[in-house]
Amino acid sequence: MLFTLMQRFTLFSLLIFSSAVFGQIPLGIGEWRTHVPHRNATSVTDAGDRVYVSTNVFFFSFHKSNREIQRFDKITGLSDVGVNLVRFNPFNQTLLVAYENTNIDLIQNNTIINISDIRRKLMVGEKRINHVYFEGNFAYLSMSFGVVILDMSKREISDTWYIGLNGDDVRVNAFTADEDRFYAATQEGLKTANRNAPNLANFNEWSLEAGLPVSQAFHAVHFNEKIYVNVRDTLFEFDGSNWNYFYAQQQWKIENVIADDNNMIITESSETASYNGRIGYLNTNLTCCNYYNNPLIRLPLDAAFDEQGTLWAADFLEGLLEIKNNSFNPIFPNGPGSERVQNLAAHKGNVWVAPGGVDER
C-alpha cells in the first residue's frame, strides 16, 4: 500500500526512508525533505556576494566566496511552488520571487513577505509575470494582460495599466524606461507613453511606436542612453529620432536581451543545431558582439555580469554557468533529473527514481 501511494508523488516531495538515503542528516518522524531538479535554470540575478537562480520548480543561491549552495522551497519558508523568475533590486536590497501562478514573495533580511494580490484576482485568460523592471522602490511587472506596478516599500500593488487596443488586455513581454518615456514590448508591438502623463492607466496615453515592423515585440532594454527592442529576432536601436537596424544573426533565435549600466547581453539558441546556444555581449566601449561559445551553453535563457566581470548564465539544460577567465563551470544542487516521477523503489538504503510519463497504451 505504501509503494502505491508513493507512485502518486509526481512532483516535488520525496519521502526519505532512512539516514543512509542520499547521505544526508537523518530526519525525524513526520519531517520531510524536498528532492527536486535544479538543472533547468530559467533566470539568474546578481545580489553582490551571491547569485540567485530560479529553476522550473524552486530556486537556489550560490555564494561566490565560500561556494555554498542554499536551496529554497516551501519547507524553508517560501509561499508557493513553481518559481517563474527571480530578480534582485539593489536599491532596497530585496529579492523578488515570482511564481508561475503570479504569486510573489519579497525576501529582505531573511524575512519573506508574500504579495498575493495578483494571484487572488479573478480574471479570464492567462495570468503570468513575464518580466520585471525596477526603478527605485517600484517594480514594473510585465504581465500577460498589461503592466502591474508593485510598490516594494509599501508592499502593495499601486496601479494596473491595460494598454491594449481600446483598453483591452494585451500580453506585455518586457518593460523599460528612459528619462522621458516608458516602453512596453507587447504582443501588438512596442508601445510608449510619456512618463509624466496624467493617467498612464488610460490606454489613450499609450501609442504604437512607428518605424518598427508591425509584429510582436519580445524584449526592450535601455542601454548606453539608447532603447533597444527585439522584433522578429532582430534588435533595433532608437537614437532619439529614428529606429535603426542594430543586430540579427541568421539561424539564431534571440532568447533574451538583458542590460545593466555597463553591459548588454544577448542569449541565443541555434535554429539549426539542437541544444546549441551562445551568449553575445557588448559594453559601452564595444560594438556588437563578443561571444561566449562552449558546449556547456545549450539553452541560455538569462544572464548577468557581476562587478568582478564574471558572467552568470541560467541555462535550461545545464543549470547555472559561471563564466570567468574563459572557463565554464556548471553549478547546480544535487537532485533528480526531472520533476516528472513515474516510479520509485527503495532497496538497501538507496532510492531509485524513474522519471518520465505514461501514454494511453
Side-chain angles (χ1 to χ4, degrees):
M1 181 64 178
L2 176 60
F3 188 74
T4 302
L5 289 173
M6 291 304 294
Q7 285 180 308
R8 299 176 184 174
F9 263 128
T10 58
L11 287 176
F12 309 117
S13 297
L14 302 181
L15 181 62
I16 307 304
F17 293 94
S18 73
S19 61
V21 178
F22 299 107
Q24 299 196 28
I25 298 173
L27 294 174
I29 296 174
E31 294 180 342
W32 293 80
R33 179 185 293 129
T34 57
H35 290 269
V36 297
H38 287 286
R39 201 161 186 155
N40 303 128
T42 57
S43 71
V44 60
T45 188
D46 177 53
D49 62 343
R50 70 194 68 207
V51 291
Y52 292 92
V53 186
S54 70
T55 68
N56 57 347
V57 183
F58 295 119
F59 76 97
F60 67 92
S61 68
F62 177 73
H63 199 286
K64 299 175 188 177
S65 298
N66 60 29
R67 316 291 290 181
E68 287 186 353
I69 293 174
Q70 181 180 1
R71 288 179 277 197
F72 298 83
D73 52 35
K74 290 199 73 172
I75 293 176
T76 60
L78 294 185
S79 301
D80 221 316
V81 298
V83 176
N84 182 26
L85 60 86
V86 289
R87 283 291 181 263
F88 182 76
N89 186 350
F91 182 83
N92 50 31
Q93 297 292 297
T94 302
L95 181 71
L96 187 151
V97 182
Y99 297 93
E100 292 283 353
N101 63 1
T102 67
N103 206 357
I104 294 171
D105 278 342
L106 302 179
I107 304 179
Q108 185 181 48
N109 297 325
N110 295 319
T111 300
I112 300 176
I113 302 100
N114 181 239
I115 310 293
S116 61
D117 304 59
I118 307 174
R119 180 185 63 81
R120 291 185 288 105
K121 181 180 175 62
L122 297 178
M123 60 182 301
V124 178
E126 182 187 21
K127 280 200 304 182
R128 180 180 173 84
I129 300 173
N130 299 314
H131 180 263
V132 178
Y133 171 76
F134 293 122
E135 199 171 85
N137 275 314
F138 291 95
Y140 294 82
L141 311 179
S142 299
M143 307 295 304
S144 53
F145 54 84
V147 179
V148 171
I149 299 88
L150 170 63
D151 187 330
M152 299 178 71
S153 62
K154 295 182 179 179
R155 300 167 184 173
E156 65 182 20
I157 303 299
S158 62
D159 209 350
T160 301
W161 301 339
Y162 296 93
I163 62 175
L165 185 65
N166 299 319
D168 294 335
D169 293 358
V170 66
R171 177 185 176 88
V172 179
N173 297 307
F175 191 91
T176 193
D178 59 21
E179 293 182 355
D180 302 315
R181 303 188 69 79
F182 287 126
Y183 300 83
T186 80
Q187 191 171 8
E188 297 172 358
L190 183 68
K191 296 206 164 186
T192 69
N194 188 316
R195 61 184 303 142
N196 296 316
N199 182 15
L200 286 165
N202 183 348
F203 73 94
N204 289 308
E205 301 284 3
W206 294 82
S207 60
L208 196 62
E209 191 73 0
L212 291 168
V214 181
S215 186
Q216 181 169 192
F218 290 99
H219 308 99
V221 297
H222 181 222
F223 173 69
N224 204 18
E225 300 183 354
K226 295 179 180 179
I227 298 295
Y228 296 83
V229 60
N230 170 28
V231 181
R232 296 178 182 170
D233 281 329
T234 299
L235 269 182
F236 295 89
E237 174 190 82
F238 186 60
D239 60 11
S241 301
N242 300 297
W243 288 98
N244 304 301
Y245 166 88
F246 179 74
Y247 172 84
Q249 290 283 304
Q250 279 191 330
Q251 301 179 344
W252 288 94
K253 176 188 176 184
I254 296 177
E255 296 288 348
N256 205 349
V257 182
I258 312 100
D260 57 29
D261 292 339
N262 302 308
N263 303 279
M264 183 164 72
I265 305 168
I266 305 168
T267 67
E268 297 176 297
S269 61
S270 173
E271 294 183 332
T272 59
S274 297
Y275 305 129
N276 179 29
R278 68 180 185 180
I279 301 174
Y281 69 96
L282 69 156
N283 59 37
T284 54
N285 299 316
L286 295 175
T287 57
C288 192
C289 285
N290 289 337
Y291 292 100
Y292 288 111
N293 290 285
N294 189 278
L296 287 172
I297 303 177
R298 302 179 65 194
L299 188 55
L301 300 183
D302 197 13
F305 279 104
D306 65 17
E307 292 184 352
Q308 289 71 44
T310 301
L311 180 65
W312 303 91
D315 191 286
F316 192 72
L317 298 174
E318 293 295 336
L320 172 66
L321 297 179
E322 178 188 25
I323 304 174
K324 183 178 182 180
N325 298 327
N326 211 30
S327 66
F328 295 76
N329 181 33
I331 300 166
F332 49 86
N334 188 26
S338 171
E339 79 275 15
R340 299 180 181 274
V341 178
Q342 171 61 20
N343 215 332
L344 291 172
H347 181 65
K348 293 185 178 180
N350 294 313
V351 170
W352 298 81
V353 180
V358 296
D359 55 27
E360 295 179 355
R361 293 176 294 178

